[in-house]
Amino acid sequence: MSLSAASAAMVGREAEIAVVRGLFDRVVEGVPLAALIEGEAGIGKSRLLREFGAEVVNRADVHVGWCLDLGASRTPFGPITGILRSIVTRMGADRVREELGVGVEALGMLLPELNPTERSQTSPDRLRDAIAALIEAAAEHAPQVLVVEDLHWADESTLALLSFLLRTLTHGRILLLLTCRSDDVRRGDAVSRFIGESTRARLLERVTVERLETSAVRQLAESITGQPLSDAALERIQDRAEGVPFFVEELAGCSSGPLPGSLRDLLLARFDRLGDDARRVVQVVSGAERPLTHPLVTRLAGLAEARLDEAIREATLSGILVVADDDYRFRHALLREAVHDDLLPGERARLHRAYAEALEENGDGSDTADSAALAYHWQLAQDDHRALAAAVAAMFDAKSRFAFASAARFGELALDLWIQVPDAESVVGLGRLEVLRTLGSVLRNAGDGERALAVVNLALDEVDPDTVDPRMHARLLRDKAYYMMNLGRSGSIQLLQQSLEILERQVDDDRLRASVLNQLASRYMIAGRLDDAIALATEAGERAERVGADDEASIAANVRGGARAQLGDLEAGHREYAAALDLARSANPEMRYRVNYSDLLGLLGRYRDAVSVAEGGLARARAFGVERTTGALMTQNMAVPLLEMGEIERVEGMLSRELAQRTLRISHMYSTMTRVRVLSWRGRHDEAAEILREWHPAFEETGRVERQIWYDEVMMRVAVAEGGGDHAGALDEVRAMLADDGPVFLHQRRLLLEAGWLIAELRAAGVDVSEASDEVRAAWLAQPGQLLGDTWWSILESLLSPSTQSLREAVELADGVDVPVTFRLITRLELARLLVDAGDRSEATAVLAHAMNEAERLGHVPLTRTIGAFAAAAGLAAAPASAQSAEESDPLTARERQVLDLIAEGLSNRQIGERLFISVKTVSVHVSAVLRKLGVSTRTEAAVLQKNPNFGVSRQDAVVR
């Protein structure tokens, strides 16, 4: 879509446009960037971007989308649809279908002409990914300049998508430019939060367009009048316009006569000079929130064709209206607002009624006939009946396009109108409870769990158990349980029990019963009521099988698998999980299997298998088109086993991505535990301790109903104490865990193993740890038989009752797979202590040097300090020549070797970054280092060298070979 021509030459904006040019130059090199062009109304933000767009039009594709002024009834994805349609037009629909593949199905939610899509065929995750993929594909062919005008009128779905794009478009020639009236952004509203969060995350560069200096005001005014301006006239203009270019333009025409008395008079001065027909046309156009077609203006103005043409010509020549892509619009939004506000209430209501009737009559699903606009126009037409119907329709339409925040706005508007319409249910065609239930759902999906809970409570307050549809009553109770669970609050179990009682008494629906049974069984499992969970999940599976609901049967097997494993029946647990995968027919149960089963494998110490299952889920997420969203959640579930394997940088990358997204409170709690452990690992004890203090109330509340959250807080407290060197405090946390009379979960195994290190450290400091050792040993041996006699037990026992022989064996075991990598250091440190006591300082030195090298490689600050302190106290060398020569024999760091392995697989820098969760720029640095250290000039040579069995003996030898 083209922008209208400016009314005068742009002056005084050299610095601002230079900033935008500089951003574009960087974008052309492949670095995506974004900028917010902000300033007060009339300051020239859009003009600045029109000038810039004209400069680069032959070097880039420029796409413009507008946020529309619909009051509170804002169009979902308002500017995004226009930008996407422009990209598809430029690329061609066939090319888009070819490059996006299955992603076209999701894109059809916003562009039905590209691929008509039903909501059931896609998901919000796939839609967001498809939009990002289209922009990236377009950037492969030409630099993309995406302009979003009037951000201050943006709906929440647009803001959420822009936030997503800012964080996920990490490569490609893409420049995103946003304009925003700074004086129309209210503190604390959605736009203000978006700008604040994006600025703090350094995702958005802010370019403030300031008022013009006096010299620039003179230059602008003289370019408009075509003659020199007297000092007196300039002073009058400057006093009134105060350097705002739009006001300067309006006042320049009055420079030789009396100036309007107020801002309103100034804005209406041009309008007041029009003839009656032109005034009628301008008033008609003022009621529209978007450009108007000629046929629609003809219908609404009610003028003969010749008179209409003359009126439009007069309105355009006056500088009030402009023609853009054969449509009519105001030259500036301030003019439209002034003309519209000048209408009498009756005139305004009649105008919007005419608009609404025209939209309903000509509605074809296009952007000019959407339900959001209908809700807006019927509301201003003061027709509560039709406004209510339109608001409900707009809610469902926004929900169908996954614009949940916008859907929530329309739902709340519908509730406001409901009490004003006596026969509301017949007008809407739905019962009030169904509307409330839908509104609760969209609020939850919009991320507003508190409002969702408030709405479902309102619905339940209005339920009459004697007359309500029992299915509706049961579903409302189930929904409330779900919302409370998302908020980490207690009470879900009782609500689900009530829902189930209603179904058992009054409803014969096995599919619905299976769903509620599965949800209750899951809550029982999380609360530690494992036998109850198995019983309910078994019943759910039987009912699901009876009606052919394979997905519910899969979820039932999933719950049973987790519960049986927690009870120690690992064989049965693995069988149940295998059945859950086999029964999964859609993405939801399959992803649930991969999340839960990988979690179990991690608890059992099968870290490689846990990562493999989760990575398989990530591959499936790519196939489903949700790599950036649901796939990101799957990668978070990989974080704990990867941390135990020592992949600290990879975990940090995952956490940085997770922190950039707004997730449900319960999900953020899980990642917080990992974050605290990572900070403690890195020696950032104060930060870890502060996060622990901040989140303690939430963990304490949720830990009462979710046992795993209780264990997670224990893990955090242990990590923080260790990071501060307080081994006694950390051990006290473990002993307090053992004294708790709550359900015992598999989570305690890792904490018991950690206690072995804490006991070893305290023993070395001269503390009597016999009682603690007995407690830890007894707790381990109290586990079910299938959990005993493994590698972890051998390592733990060697730390509880150390001997040179047992620790030598423990060192060998710790070097194997599926043992937390920190125990490679811990077992060697404890062995070195015994060797020093035995007088074998030579072997102790070698053992300790190995431990120190490994600690530094892992970047584990507390253990590096502990090992260094013992080496210094014992007078041992920290880094012997043997360790140095070993390092020289392999010039690559651990991360560089990972990069080399992926180069050998044929992956591009982008693919390597995605695999390792690091930026493309960081990958490029590692690749350059790999080539330099190996003495080769191409990736192919490096890949060949990596596959050489003699790789790594020395750089010179390897190159010669």
Side-chain angles (χ1 to χ4, degrees):
M1 181 178 288
S2 63
L3 290 168
S4 60
S7 58
M10 186 176 73
V11 300
R13 298 301 182 215
E14 293 79 9
E16 293 89 344
I17 201 167
V19 172
V20 180
R21 288 171 183 152
L23 294 174
F24 180 74
D25 290 341
R26 292 164 61 191
V27 162
V28 170
E29 297 176 357
V31 181
L33 295 170
L36 176 71
I37 314 301
E38 59 185 331
E40 60 191 296
I43 204 68
K45 304 176 292 295
S46 298
R47 178 61 189 279
L48 177 73
L49 294 190
R50 282 199 296 268
E51 294 288 335
F52 169 71
E55 287 184 8
V56 301
V57 68
N58 294 322
R59 302 169 56 199
D61 294 341
V62 181
H63 312 284
V64 184
W66 279 268
C67 301
L68 303 178
D69 181 12
L70 287 173
S73 308
R74 298 175 181 179
T75 305
F77 302 112
I80 305 300
T81 303
I83 289 173
L84 297 179
R85 187 164 284 127
S86 177
I87 293 175
V88 171
T89 300
R90 185 66 61 93
M91 290 181 64
D94 291 340
R95 176 184 286 180
V96 170
R97 293 187 184 97
E98 178 182 348
E99 298 208 17
L100 261 64
V102 296
V104 170
E105 294 180 0
L107 206 59
M109 292 299 300
L110 298 185
L111 304 179
E113 69 274 19
L114 181 65
N115 186 82
T117 304
E118 293 294 330
R119 187 175 191 273
S120 59
Q121 295 177 265
T122 186
S123 70
D125 298 340
R126 295 186 67 185
L127 176 59
R128 289 191 289 267
D129 281 341
I131 292 171
L134 174 63
I135 295 170
E136 289 179 338
E140 293 289 335
H141 302 284
Q144 301 295 299
V145 178
L146 313 180
V147 179
V148 174
E149 289 273 21
D150 299 325
L151 186 73
H152 46 278
W153 288 326
D155 66 292
E156 287 89 338
S157 59
T158 294
L159 296 172
L161 181 58
L162 290 175
S163 181
F164 171 80
L165 294 175
L166 287 174
R167 288 172 167 84
T168 57
L169 293 176
T170 56
H171 66 281
R173 298 173 295 173
I174 304 164
L175 177 59
L176 178 61
L177 299 173
L178 316 171
T179 69
C180 183
R181 285 189 197 173
S182 53
D183 44 349
D184 275 1
V185 176
R186 295 185 302 277
R187 182 176 181 180
D189 69 3
V191 175
S192 174
R193 291 195 302 272
F194 165 79
I195 293 173
E197 291 170 1
S198 300
T199 302
R200 285 191 295 273
R202 299 184 180 180
L203 301 172
L204 199 61
E205 184 159 341
R206 300 177 72 165
V207 180
T208 302
V209 184
E210 304 287 358
R211 296 182 177 187
L212 296 176
E213 299 289 341
T214 301
S215 59
V217 170
R218 176 185 291 278
Q219 183 181 352
L220 176 58
E222 290 180 347
S223 72
I224 294 171
T225 62
Q227 57 188 8
L229 203 64
S230 69
D231 290 344
L234 173 62
E235 184 177 355
R236 289 197 307 163
I237 292 175
Q238 181 67 326
D239 286 346
R240 188 66 57 84
E242 297 182 336
V244 177
F246 176 70
F247 298 148
V248 173
E249 293 179 10
E250 294 301 298
L251 288 166
C254 310
S255 59
S256 59
L259 296 181
S262 67
L263 176 58
R264 176 180 176 278
D265 293 338
L266 169 64
L267 292 172
L268 292 174
R270 293 175 188 258
F271 174 76
D272 291 337
R273 293 194 292 268
L274 297 175
D276 290 343
D277 287 350
R279 286 164 60 92
R280 172 61 182 164
V281 168
V282 170
Q283 287 176 329
V284 163
V285 178
S286 77
E289 75 287 351
R290 64 192 83 198
L292 289 184
T293 64
H294 185 78
L296 188 52
V297 173
T298 301
R299 168 176 174 164
L300 295 173
L303 297 175
E305 187 173 333
R307 289 175 60 188
L308 177 66
D309 289 343
E310 187 60 31
I312 292 174
R313 182 173 287 107
E314 182 181 354
T316 55
L317 289 175
S318 73
I320 296 178
L321 298 184
V322 295
V323 180
D325 294 341
D326 294 328
D327 292 337
Y328 304 117
R329 64 180 297 156
F330 275 80
R331 179 170 64 85
H332 199 284
L334 286 174
L335 284 172
R336 184 183 80 83
E337 293 164 13
V339 173
H340 187 262
D341 290 345
D342 193 52
L343 293 170
L344 295 172
E347 291 177 314
R348 190 179 301 118
R350 287 192 296 273
L351 176 59
H352 286 285
R353 175 175 290 277
Y355 268 113
E357 290 173 346
L359 290 175
E360 285 188 342
E361 180 178 328
N362 300 321
D364 57 1
S366 69
D367 283 346
T368 56
D370 58 55
S371 53
L374 280 173
Y376 169 71
H377 288 298
W378 280 125
Q379 189 178 14
L380 291 184
Q382 300 178 23
D383 189 324
D384 293 339
H385 283 72
R386 291 183 174 180
L388 172 61
V392 172
M395 177 180 68
F396 280 100
D397 177 66
K399 180 175 180 285
S400 72
R401 289 190 277 168
F402 310 114
F404 296 113
S406 296
R409 277 180 175 266
F410 291 119
E412 291 178 335
L413 172 60
L415 291 187
D416 290 340
L417 292 167
W418 196 281
I419 59 176
Q420 303 175 44
V421 179
D423 54 343
E425 291 197 2
S426 61
V427 169
V428 172
L430 286 173
R432 178 173 166 84
L433 291 179
E434 184 61 40
V435 173
L436 286 169
R437 181 169 176 267
T438 302
L439 176 56
S441 173
V442 298
L443 282 164
R444 182 264 173 191
N445 285 312
D448 194 343
E450 294 287 356
R451 289 286 292 158
L453 183 59
V455 167
V456 77
N457 280 334
L458 176 62
L460 286 168
D461 287 344
E462 297 180 7
V463 164
D464 181 350
D466 297 328
T467 60
V468 71
D469 178 355
R471 284 183 174 83
M472 173 60 69
H473 194 184
R475 289 188 173 107
L476 287 171
L477 291 167
R478 181 191 61 183
D479 291 350
K480 181 176 180 179
Y482 190 48
Y483 302 154
M484 294 185 72
M485 177 192 70
N486 289 333
L487 292 169
R489 295 180 183 167
S490 60
S492 294
I493 288 177
Q494 292 82 358
L495 290 164
L496 291 167
Q497 289 171 336
Q498 293 175 38
S499 177
L500 197 58
E501 289 172 3
I502 292 171
L503 293 176
E504 289 173 346
R505 289 197 314 266
Q506 305 177 58
V507 179
D508 183 17
D509 186 336
D510 279 332
R511 187 181 298 269
L512 181 56
R513 286 275 293 278
S515 172
V516 177
L517 283 166
N518 271 332
Q519 194 163 332
L520 181 55
S522 177
R523 301 311 300 164
Y524 280 160
M525 180 183 70
I526 290 172
R529 295 174 57 176
L530 302 176
D531 291 328
D532 291 337
I534 293 171
L536 287 187
T538 299
E539 182 184 350
E542 292 170 351
R543 291 183 179 276
E545 183 179 358
R546 192 180 305 163
V547 294
D550 287 349
D551 281 351
E552 291 296 341
S554 171
I555 293 171
N558 193 316
V559 174
R560 291 195 303 269
R564 294 189 191 282
Q566 290 289 355
L567 287 169
D569 192 349
L570 301 184
E571 294 179 1
H574 292 312
R575 286 197 304 269
E576 293 281 18
Y577 274 117
L581 178 60
D582 184 60
L583 287 165
R585 297 291 179 264
S586 65
N588 179 47
E590 180 181 344
M591 291 299 179
R592 184 166 179 164
Y593 152 79
R594 292 189 179 278
V595 168
N596 291 345
Y597 191 46
S598 62
D599 182 58
L600 170 63
L601 293 171
L603 292 173
L604 295 174
R606 292 173 53 179
Y607 299 132
R608 293 176 307 160
D609 291 339
V611 172
S612 177
V613 170
E615 282 184 327
L618 186 57
R620 292 294 290 158
R622 295 189 184 105
F624 292 141
V626 293
E627 182 179 358
R628 290 182 174 92
T629 44
T630 302
L633 297 177
M634 187 69 69
T635 58
Q636 171 57 37
N637 200 59
M638 297 161 55
V640 171
L642 285 171
L643 181 64
E644 300 288 16
M645 294 166 66
E647 295 279 356
I648 183 69
E649 291 183 14
R650 192 173 176 185
V651 174
E652 288 170 328
M654 293 176 181
L655 289 175
S656 67
R657 290 193 178 189
E658 192 277 337
L659 290 172
Q661 301 179 23
R662 298 182 66 180
T663 59
L664 291 170
R665 179 172 179 258
I666 192 67
S667 301
H668 199 55
M669 290 173 72
Y670 291 127
S671 61
T672 296
M673 184 270 293
T674 306
R675 185 181 175 202
V676 166
R677 291 187 66 190
V678 167
L679 290 172
S680 299
W681 182 303
R682 290 300 199 188
R684 295 161 63 181
H685 168 262
D686 291 341
E687 289 181 62
E690 179 60 31
I691 293 173
L692 176 60
R693 284 192 295 270
E694 175 188 349
W695 278 88
H696 169 69
F699 274 83
E700 184 177 42
E701 177 188 11
T702 307
R704 299 189 190 105
V705 292
E706 295 203 14
R707 188 65 171 173
Q708 59 201 37
I709 287 289
W710 183 84
Y711 276 107
D712 282 350
E713 187 174 19
V714 175
M715 179 64 79
M716 286 195 298
R717 290 199 297 265
V718 168
V720 168
E722 289 175 349
D726 183 8
H727 298 113
L731 183 59
D732 286 343
E733 296 290 352
V734 176
R735 297 180 72 181
M737 172 195 73
L738 296 179
D740 185 84
D741 59 2
V744 176
F745 272 23
L746 292 173
H747 298 68
Q748 84 161 13
R749 287 170 52 84
R750 179 64 182 85
L751 286 159
L752 290 173
L753 184 60
E754 194 75 2
W757 171 41
L758 300 172
I759 287 170
E761 289 302 313
L762 292 170
R763 182 192 300 114
V767 177
D768 182 2
V769 293
S770 57
E771 185 177 340
S773 296
D774 291 342
E775 288 180 10
V776 170
R777 182 181 291 108
W780 188 277
L781 295 176
Q783 296 179 102
Q786 293 184 32
L787 297 170
L788 299 178
D790 60 356
T791 298
W792 284 18
W793 165 244
S794 298
I795 293 173
L796 176 60
E797 180 61 15
S798 74
L799 295 170
L800 297 178
S801 301
S803 69
T804 303
Q805 180 59 34
S806 68
L807 281 168
R808 290 187 196 280
E809 294 173 358
V811 165
E812 186 174 346
L813 291 173
D815 285 346
V817 298
D818 293 337
V819 176
V821 69
T822 52
F823 282 85
R824 298 180 186 176
L825 320 178
I826 291 165
T827 53
R828 283 181 167 83
L829 173 60
E830 188 66 1
L831 175 60
R833 285 171 173 150
L834 293 189
L835 291 170
V836 169
D837 289 344
D840 192 345
R841 300 179 61 82
S842 176
E843 185 181 353
T845 298
V847 169
L848 204 61
H850 191 142
M852 178 61 80
N853 288 338
E854 187 74 357
E856 292 177 346
R857 182 186 71 82
L858 294 172
H860 198 294
V861 173
L863 276 171
T864 301
R865 290 172 179 165
T866 300
I867 295 169
F870 174 69
L876 302 177
S882 59
Q884 184 178 355
S885 62
E887 183 176 310
E888 290 177 351
S889 70
D890 185 358
L892 302 186
T893 66
R895 175 63 83 189
E896 289 165 354
R897 185 169 288 280
Q898 286 179 321
V899 170
L900 180 57
D901 289 341
L902 297 176
I903 289 174
E905 291 183 25
L907 272 62
S908 66
N909 282 8
R910 173 190 173 188
Q911 292 168 323
I912 293 172
E914 291 172 346
R915 183 75 66 84
L916 298 179
F917 298 93
I918 57 179
S919 70
V920 176
K921 183 177 180 180
T922 302
V923 173
S924 178
V925 172
H926 286 314
V927 170
S928 298
V930 167
L931 299 182
R932 174 176 52 79
K933 289 182 178 181
L934 296 183
V936 297
S937 57
T938 68
R939 298 165 69 99
T940 302
E941 290 177 310
V944 170
L945 190 58
Q946 189 271 350
K947 295 177 181 178
N948 188 316
N950 294 318
F951 171 76
V953 294
S954 76
R955 186 191 314 177
Q956 294 79 8
D957 289 347
V959 172
V960 171
R961 292 173 188 271

